[in-house]
Amino acid sequence: MSLQLGWPDYMVIRDENRCIKCEVCAKQCANEVHKLDSDYDKMMADESKCVNCHRCVALCPTRALKIKVNDLEFKPNANWTGSAIKEIYKQASSGGVLLSGMGNTKPYPVYWDKMLINASQVTNPSIDPLREPMETSVLLGRKPEKLEFDKDGKLKTKMPPQVKLDVPVMFSAMSFGSISKNAHEALARAATDLNIMYNTGEGGLAKEFYQYGPNTIVQIASGRFGVHPEYLNAGAMLEIKIGQGAKPGIGGHLPGEKVGEAVSKARMIPRGSDAISPAPHHDIYSIEDLRQLIYSLKEATNYTKPVSVKIAAVHNSPAIASGIARAGADIIAIDGFRGGTGAAPSRVRDNVGIPIELALAAVDQRLREESIRNDVSLVVGGSIRNSADIVKAIALGADACYIASSALIAVGCHMCQNCYTGKCNWGIATQRDDLVKRLNPDIAYERLMNLITAWKHEIEELLGGMGINAIESLRGNRLMLRGIGLNQKELDILGIQHAGE
Amino acid sequence: MKKVYADEKWCLGCGLCNVYCRTCHSETNDIVKAHNFEEPRPKSRLHVETGEKVNFALQCRHCDDPKCVTACITGAMQKDPDTGLVTNDTDRCVGCWTCVLACPFGAIVRDEDAGKVAAKCDLCVKSGEPECVKHCPNNALKFEDRE
């Protein structure tokens, strides 16, 4: 089809007065947008290939480049927007499902931004975290109903397995395959030195990563890639992935091009073969089936590691969470509809699932009503963007938060949402050797360390402001939150009062 | 002595080291002017070798036994006995290119614009830390004492 009805999404704007024709942009663009035209001795651009990843912009030594959204417009129409029309053009020419990377882009309400945090004034004075001790560590795992001590004061109760985090943040599941080895290494090293956890995703675990075991969550997903007893025992926590916020109800598909030697070994699949994760676990069709898998995993790891079950935030999450808790899970991870992904059908990503804030409040409430809240820890993810989001999540009832998009942004991701093309110019979502090396894990590790350290300081400041000196005292303390611009139904679901009340 | 070492594992072959080397060795010390306007055109003193799999930046190794110094017919090329730095005195250099021939690394550049003299890495003595190292976006260049 030679007739193209659309036009490039972006414009490459080059300041000719600043361009020195060093060709750094041309050498760095995996999409081959820029090139030096030797006839004219000028840098030229083919905008149609540009994905707006900003690699050229960031590396241009004279800041001569700008990428702008193409301002060519259709006749204004509130219903048939430009993107609605262009999507039809795209599908009419390709016949395929529209794909996207990263999270939901639609302007649904972000409830984090509609909640405000309290601070102490006069009574119950605030605490200065720089002068007084402040506890930000949390323990994830089933908590016993009561503690019993012998006559010497020693603990008699056998504690279920716990995982300790110094900050209530973990790097959520991103498989080796969906992200590069260097990105994986940076996450593993940073998690280890921050004493938090990172998650293998469903990609198995390369032998060289076993050294980070005490800070590793090993995931078991529907494809069962790379799952074997050694793998299960390599981490400190296990996670059964039922669903993912970006694509609830949908499986995964790692294209064969990304399955090189290392990925093939870690996943235990032939080189070059597509890694297809089915939408459901074919052995789980009920809570009872889930219980079987949870206990199989506990048996395999001799009841020494907590088992988490991760679900996407969907309409009936509270009832599902109740079932998961009763099935014997130690941790429930809920992933909201703004969560990221390497590839998802755009229609699913943008229209399926619910916001994590509402799911979290509803699940926490349901578990408390059923008196099973202490049987599980709650971990939430799905676009946690900063430390205030974490504080709000904990006040709503979470034990810890999962971050992935934020972590990738910290190491260079510019949210161009083209992860699925395998041509990530930042060396993150790619397996192409020349691109993978662009992410030096030493630099990425340092940036992750900085981000979480900065967030820890901010969490301490916010806690101190509320007159609270331990994150555990904030959990489920919804009186510390007030809604702003929310209707009564939303306030009821969130279990908070409106600002001014 | 501290020298610039390339780590080809992380070199992207982007060529930013070249851009900053040329700028540092310009009169104006301004990237745009150095590349687009300044006359004589300043020269970068390093090469970026790029290939299918391996890239690296190469500049003068400031050898312990510098062949260029031995080869120099006018005594322009000298190794500082205290700092170990090998420099070319452009006032004495006659542009015979014997040093270019003698250098086993091909690290000496012919600067025909600036009066036919040899140009080479001086470790950016004027700015403290070599500019190529300072501006490498992927830490592929290290300025270290490895002896």
Side-chain angles (χ1 to χ4, degrees), chain A residues 95-307:
Chain A
V97 170
L98 292 173
L99 275 183
S100 317
M102 301 314 284
N104 194 325
T105 55
K106 299 290 181 216
Y108 294 107
V110 178
Y111 286 97
W112 302 127
D113 295 339
K114 293 166 187 274
M115 287 187 277
L116 299 169
I117 299 167
N118 195 25
S120 297
Q121 299 293 292
V122 186
T123 58
N124 182 23
S126 46
I127 300 167
D128 183 349
L130 295 175
R131 292 162 193 271
E132 295 184 53
M134 192 63 79
E135 189 55 68
T136 56
S137 69
V138 291
L139 287 165
L140 300 184
R142 176 178 294 261
K143 304 293 182 292
E145 222 157 84
K146 58 178 181 191
L147 294 177
E148 287 186 280
F149 299 89
D150 64 15
K151 57 180 188 306
D152 302 327
K154 287 216 172 110
L155 187 66
K156 258 176 36 185
T157 316
K158 196 170 174 288
M159 280 293 286
Q162 306 284 320
V163 158
K164 189 180 179 208
L165 310 174
D166 280 359
V167 194
V169 181
M170 302 190 285
F171 299 131
S172 54
M174 288 177 277
S175 66
F176 170 39
S178 76
I179 59 169
S180 67
K181 183 168 154 277
N182 290 344
H184 211 73
E185 180 187 330
L187 290 166
R189 279 168 54 189
T192 301
D193 289 355
L194 290 160
N195 197 26
I196 58 171
M197 306 288 283
Y198 88 103
N199 191 316
T200 60
E202 55 177 315
L205 194 61
K207 278 272 160 14
E208 59 194 286
F209 284 100
Y210 278 41
Q211 56 178 305
Y212 306 108
N215 298 83
T216 306
I217 301 171
V218 291
Q219 201 180 54
I220 299 96
S222 60
R224 300 283 199 274
F225 297 119
V227 177
H228 52 93
E230 211 186 331
Y231 167 76
L232 297 177
N233 282 291
M237 174 174 153
L238 296 93
E239 184 172 85
I240 301 169
K241 177 200 168 186
I242 302 288
Q244 184 179 345
K247 40 180 175 178
I250 297 275
H253 180 174
L254 186 74
E257 305 88 78
K258 286 193 180 179
V259 185
E261 193 169 344
V263 174
S264 119
K265 259 193 196 148
R267 294 203 177 215
M268 297 158 59
I269 54 170
R271 242 172 110 165
S273 64
D274 288 15
I276 296 178
S277 297
H281 286 247
H282 286 308
D283 52 358
I284 302 178
Y285 283 85
S286 65
I287 292 294
E288 291 74 15
D289 289 347
L290 177 65
R291 185 180 177 83
Q292 281 200 0
L293 181 58
I294 292 173
Y295 277 90
S296 303
L297 295 175
K298 287 189 175 188
E299 281 288 338
T301 53
N302 208 16
Y303 295 85
T304 54
K305 300 168 201 293
V307 174

Side-chain angles (χ1 to χ4, degrees), chain A residues 48-70:
Chain A
S48 65
K49 297 174 183 163
C50 178
V51 298
N52 198 7
C53 75
H54 287 184
R55 180 73 185 182
C56 57
V57 174
L59 267 79
C60 175
T62 60
R63 290 187 292 280
L65 282 167
K66 248 195 293 193
I67 312 293
K68 297 199 83 172
V69 172
N70 198 334

Side-chain angles (χ1 to χ4, degrees), chain A residues 19 24 27 437-438 440-441, chain B residues 8-11 13-14 36 138:
Chain A
C19 178
V24 170
K27 289 177 205 151
K437 74 190 287 191
R438 292 185 183 182
N440 183 333
Chain B
E8 72 271 12
K9 195 171 169 199
W10 303 121
C11 177
C14 70
N36 290 358
N138 211 30

